[in-house]
Amino acid sequence: ALALRGAQAVDVERDDAHRVSGGGRRASVHDGRTRPGGAREGLILPGSRPIPRPMSDFRQAFLEFSVARDVLRFGDFVTKAGRRTPYFFNAGLFNDGESLKRLGEFYAQALLASGMGCDQLFGPAYKGIPLASATAIALAGMGHNVPWSFNRKEAKDHGEGGNLVGAPLAGRVVIVDDVISAGTSVRESVDVIRAHGAHPSGVLIALDRMERGTGSTSAVQEVRATYEIPVTAIATLDDVMAFIAARADLARWRDAVIAYRAQYGAAGD
C-alpha cells in the first residue's frame, strides 16, 4: 500500500471573489514489510496532522508557480462570505496542460510528505477529477503507480452503470480536491468510499487558508473532527506569510495578511 509521510482550504474560487482594487498489475508503494498472509504493509509515519515546519522547497515552488500563473494574487478582494481579503487564490487558473502537469506534481509531493496512508486516489466530481488524475500521473512518474477513480453526479443507467468510474474503491483512499468550503464534497466522497467498503484515509487540497467559518473553527478542522481523518495541503497560510516575507516585491502585503489572519484566523491554527 502506498504510505505517505508528513495542510480550511480556500473558500474563494473562480466566481467567488471580485477585485476591488490593485497499466498492468495494481501496484503500490510499501516499505518492504509483510503482513501475515504475505500482504504488504504500508509505511505509516507518525503524525497525521501537519506540524510546524520550515517551508520546504516544493511548497515555495508551488507558491512561486501560483504567483507566476496569477493563481495567487495580492490586492483588495472580497470573498463569497463578504470578507475583504488581501490575497486571493484561484485554482481555476491552472487551466492549461503545463499548469495541470505541474499542479499534479505538487499534489504528489505534498501527499508523499503528508504521513497519510494511501492505496488509491479519489477525485470528487467535478473539480477533483482532473486533480486526482494529474496526481496519479505524477505519482506514477515518481515510481508509485496508484489506482484512481471518481464519481458521477448522477448514476449511469446504461453501459457499466453506477456512479463510480475508474478503479474499484478498495483499501485506504485519499480524496483529492481543490478546496474545502462547506465540506459538502468531502461528506459525499466519504459516503461513496464507505459504501464501496473502502476506507477514507485523508483529504489532499491545494491551499489551507487556516480561516474560520461561521464559528471558531475552519472547514478543514471540522472535517478532521467529524471524520477523524487528516487533511493536508500543498501550502498553508503560514507558508504564504513566509513566502511574501522573503519576496521584496510582495513584502508590503505582509501586514495586511497578518491583520486578516488576526481577524478571521481559525482557533487552534
Side-chain angles (χ1 to χ4, degrees):
L2 176 60
L4 308 164
R5 295 180 301 160
Q8 167 188 266
V10 190
D11 61 356
V12 286
E13 303 178 24
R14 178 185 298 272
D15 298 321
D16 291 349
H18 306 281
R19 187 70 179 262
V20 178
S21 64
R25 180 175 62 85
R26 175 166 171 165
S28 57
V29 176
H30 55 79
D31 67 347
R33 293 177 294 174
T34 304
R35 294 193 185 101
R40 291 292 189 179
E41 180 181 357
L43 172 63
I44 305 295
L45 297 185
S48 60
R49 289 196 58 179
I51 58 176
R53 73 283 185 276
M55 183 167 60
S56 64
D57 288 344
F58 80 82
R59 301 181 195 279
Q60 180 178 15
F62 170 68
L63 294 173
E64 288 175 347
F65 184 60
S66 297
V67 168
R69 292 297 175 123
D70 212 26
V71 170
L72 176 61
R73 292 181 288 164
F74 296 90
D76 190 5
F77 307 93
V78 178
T79 72
K80 187 176 182 179
R83 298 173 178 175
R84 295 188 74 129
T85 173
Y87 73 102
F88 175 48
F89 183 85
N90 182 3
L93 293 178
F94 290 123
N95 55 13
D96 58 32
E98 175 63 22
S99 293
L100 186 60
K101 175 180 179 294
R102 291 288 304 278
L103 182 59
E105 292 167 351
F106 289 125
Y107 269 102
Q109 289 173 300
L111 185 57
L112 290 168
S114 71
M116 295 191 294
C118 176
D119 301 305
Q120 183 170 347
L121 302 176
F122 179 80
Y126 292 102
K127 288 186 177 182
I129 297 173
L131 299 178
S133 59
T135 304
I137 292 169
L139 286 169
M142 299 173 183
H144 310 311
N145 188 25
V146 179
W148 73 283
S149 56
F150 63 92
N151 65 310
R152 294 187 177 98
K153 287 288 190 180
E154 297 180 0
K156 188 176 180 181
D157 59 5
H158 60 281
E160 73 275 17
N163 67 347
L164 187 68
V165 181
L169 288 167
R172 300 168 299 176
V173 182
V174 170
I175 300 162
V176 185
D177 211 346
D178 61 341
V179 304
I180 298 177
S181 297
T184 303
S185 177
V186 173
R187 183 183 69 249
E188 293 175 349
S189 298
V190 167
D191 289 345
V192 169
I193 292 166
R194 288 176 174 169
H196 285 78
H199 171 66
S201 62
V203 184
L204 182 63
I205 56 176
L207 179 69
D208 182 0
R209 288 174 62 95
M210 305 171 73
E211 183 175 321
R212 62 180 172 82
T214 55
S216 62
T217 59
S218 69
V220 163
Q221 292 171 323
E222 291 170 2
V223 165
R224 288 177 180 142
T226 300
Y227 302 106
E228 298 183 335
I229 57 176
V231 180
T232 194
I234 302 172
T236 70
L237 181 56
D238 285 336
D239 296 318
V240 172
M241 294 179 69
F243 175 73
I244 61 178
R247 287 269 303 253
D249 57 328
L250 299 175
R252 64 192 179 97
W253 297 108
R254 182 174 179 272
D255 289 345
V257 174
I258 290 174
Y260 184 83
R261 183 174 188 176
Q263 184 173 6
Y264 296 115
D269 266 343

